[in-house]
Amino acid sequence: MKKTFRQWAVVTSVVVSSLGLTVSASAALPFFGDKKQEVPSLAPMLEEATPAVVSIAVEGTQTARQRVPEMFRYFFGGPQEQMQERPFRGLGSGVIIDADKGYIVTNNHVVDNADEITVKLTDGRELQAKKLGADEQSDIALLKVSPDNLTALPLADSDKTRVGDFVVAIGNPFGLSQTVTSGIVSALGRSGLNIGGYEDFIQTDAAINRGNSGGALVNLNGELVGINTAIFGPNGGNVGIGFAIPANMMKSLVDQIAEFGEVRRGLLGILGNDVDAGLAEAMNAEVNLGAFVSEVQPESAAEEAGLQAGDIITAVNGRELNSFQELRARIASMGAGAEVTLTIMRKGETQDVNVVLDDATQSTVTAAQIHPALEGATLSNGSDDAGNTGVVVSELERGTPAARIGLQPEDVIVGVNRQRVNTVAEFRNVLDESSGVIALNVKRGKSTLYLVIR
């Protein structure tokens, strides 16, 4: 039996006659008839919402590198490091988003490497869950349990969320039973935090602590606004800065996982950077925020739609952009084939461009997915000016492992251990079969060189 939410009246003001004051409030209230009981309270909404938020306990094993002491290597020989499997247990939270199908959303880091996942409901029932799929880069995972008298949270349109909206965080911090905290939306479109590969977070001052990961951020109508995923503060404690994955972004990713068992990211096919006052002045543009297009890749969705180098993208589907990172996260969360309307400024004039996204999984990957030493690079199928086809380093972050091994933007990887590679898929397959030292054959302009990964 699927439970539904009751509609609660919204009280916009409470007159405190004894003090002669008018106190503004925005809280869901039932009406009891007795005026003395007409006090602002979140309890009625929470009574409906909290059964949809669950506790998640996981057990599994993880592989860790252990350095072998010098004396043992001297007497017995062997490698400097050994791989060792260690059992682990963890706790987190989750949100039921479909009561009929038994779908539960949580963070990928809550259930990563888990061999056994147990979901505990607010009524005390414990159910075994199966992971249908996950996306490490956006930190989302989809679980399934037997659909038996479950309660699901309705989804809010997170694109309509505004700074200052009241929100409530529901989860299981520090392994405690279900806990509720309240606050407001502090900021939108947060990125550049190095928490995940694709960041477009809702920031809130509702207290979020360890164990809240995967829990719900809801509005005063009891609708899911976001999935709590991270905190910012010393020693992992709450300091009033928490982050949640927007519900719309989560829904797009979960729909792909449910249909395909994986996320099939959309690809726009541009390179660029943030817009600031200096760039806006140089381009004679009347905007100081957005995503500047420095290059449109050949035969990409962007080229097909007519985007040009020098364009400034200011909005996606009508929602304003703050940065190139935010654009990257929004596009990546949309599925291949999705139709997107981009608002751009070109030569001082604003216009809309409709784009049908390519499939990023076929041509572009975040290199950390392939090998840890390549973290910080984005790889694409392509070629250089000399016609050398292979795996192009389309983006590279400074100070990352990929930069430290010597990769540079626009490098073309054409071989691994003397084996030719033409595409990202071939590159991934060769690395999966390689062990020990790895030598990358790289074309850089007119030069050929080898970069070694140990």
Side-chain angles (χ1 to χ4, degrees):
M1 175 181 177
K2 179 180 178 181
K3 298 180 181 178
T4 59
F5 282 80
R6 296 195 296 270
Q7 298 295 319
W8 299 95
V10 176
V11 176
T12 57
S13 65
V14 177
V15 179
V16 186
S17 58
S18 61
L19 298 177
L21 300 175
T22 299
V23 181
S24 295
S26 180
L29 290 177
F31 287 92
F32 296 99
D34 184 352
K35 292 183 179 180
K36 292 182 179 179
Q37 296 183 6
E38 293 177 11
V39 293
S41 175
L42 299 175
M45 178 273 288
L46 290 170
E47 287 170 358
E48 301 291 339
T50 51
V53 183
V54 303
S55 173
I56 296 177
V58 300
E59 296 183 17
T61 57
Q62 58 186 10
T63 302
R65 294 180 181 271
Q66 184 177 37
R67 190 169 182 82
V68 179
E70 186 70 31
M71 67 172 65
F72 290 104
R73 296 205 307 272
Y74 178 79
F75 283 108
F76 302 107
Q80 295 183 358
E81 292 182 334
Q82 290 182 345
M83 305 303 292
Q84 186 176 29
E85 288 190 349
R86 297 178 179 176
F88 74 89
R89 293 183 178 182
L91 295 171
S93 306
V95 182
I96 302 173
I97 60 167
D98 192 317
D100 295 329
K101 296 180 179 178
Y103 285 171
I104 297 174
V105 173
T106 186
N107 287 142
N108 174 68
H109 75 259
V110 172
V111 295
D112 193 27
N113 296 319
D115 299 321
E116 185 175 334
I117 304 172
T118 303
V119 170
K120 186 174 182 179
L121 308 181
T122 54
D123 61 12
R125 286 182 293 162
E126 293 189 357
L127 306 174
Q128 295 302 306
K130 175 185 177 182
K131 184 167 75 171
L132 296 183
D135 181 42
E136 180 181 359
Q137 294 298 309
S138 57
D139 202 16
I140 284 290
L142 179 63
L143 311 180
K144 179 176 174 59
V145 297
S146 298
D148 181 15
N149 194 28
L150 302 176
T151 298
L153 271 180
L155 302 186
D157 182 354
S158 58
D159 286 347
K160 295 181 179 179
T161 300
R162 299 177 301 170
V163 173
D165 285 352
F166 289 103
V167 287
V168 176
I170 310 173
N172 302 275
F174 303 114
L176 299 172
S177 58
Q178 196 172 81
T179 300
V180 175
T181 56
S182 66
I184 63 170
V185 173
S186 305
L188 298 169
R190 286 297 194 205
S191 61
L193 305 172
N194 296 321
I195 296 172
Y198 298 101
E199 300 177 349
D200 182 22
F201 293 122
I202 297 171
Q203 181 182 324
T204 179
D205 65 348
I208 296 175
N209 290 286
R210 295 186 184 277
N212 275 107
S213 292
L217 190 70
V218 302
N219 61 24
L220 296 189
N221 291 324
E223 299 168 328
L224 184 66
V225 173
I227 300 295
N228 300 324
T229 189
I231 54 179
F232 183 85
N235 304 318
N238 170 63
V239 292
I241 301 178
F243 301 100
I245 299 167
N248 288 5
M249 180 177 178
M250 175 275 294
K251 180 66 164 53
S252 177
L253 295 167
V254 164
D255 286 347
Q256 295 173 58
I257 292 173
E259 183 175 358
F260 306 113
E262 63 180 0
V263 172
R264 297 186 176 180
R265 300 193 187 284
L267 178 66
L268 184 56
I270 63 171
L271 300 179
N273 50 274
D274 297 345
V275 174
D276 56 25
L279 181 59
E281 183 179 358
M283 298 300 296
N284 194 26
E286 297 180 357
V287 293
N288 292 317
L289 294 174
F292 178 72
V293 180
S294 61
E295 180 182 343
V296 176
Q297 296 179 336
E299 300 180 0
S300 64
E303 184 182 60
E304 182 72 20
L307 282 177
Q308 299 176 10
D311 288 345
I312 296 176
I313 303 174
T314 59
V316 178
N317 290 337
R319 180 183 163 193
E320 292 184 353
L321 276 175
N322 292 312
S323 65
F324 191 86
Q325 284 274 30
E326 188 180 344
L327 170 67
R328 180 171 173 265
R330 290 197 207 173
I331 294 298
S333 67
M334 298 176 184
E339 297 182 5
V340 182
T341 299
L342 303 178
T343 302
I344 67 169
M345 179 165 285
R346 178 184 297 167
K347 297 180 180 179
E349 297 184 357
T350 299
Q351 64 184 83
D352 288 339
V353 176
N354 296 318
V355 184
V356 179
L357 300 180
D358 290 332
D359 188 347
T361 60
Q362 300 301 316
S363 59
T364 303
V365 298
T366 301
Q369 300 173 4
I370 297 179
H371 194 285
L374 300 176
E375 181 180 353
T378 300
L379 307 177
S380 308
N381 297 338
S383 61
D384 61 11
D385 294 339
N388 297 305
T389 60
V391 178
V392 178
V393 180
S394 54
E395 295 181 32
L396 185 67
E397 298 178 22
R398 294 181 180 179
T400 58
R404 287 195 290 270
I405 67 171
L407 281 175
Q408 295 183 11
E410 307 306 323
D411 278 354
V412 180
I413 302 171
V414 296
V416 179
N417 293 349
R418 296 185 177 276
Q419 184 172 344
R420 186 75 170 88
V421 293
N422 295 290
T423 65
V424 170
E426 290 180 5
F427 184 48
R428 184 197 299 270
N429 292 336
V430 173
L431 284 182
D432 286 343
E433 297 172 358
S434 301
S435 59
V437 176
I438 297 172
L440 304 180
N441 187 2
V442 175
K443 294 287 187 180
R444 181 177 297 164
K446 297 181 179 180
S447 302
T448 300
L449 61 148
Y450 281 90
L451 301 178
V452 177
I453 301 174
R454 299 185 183 276

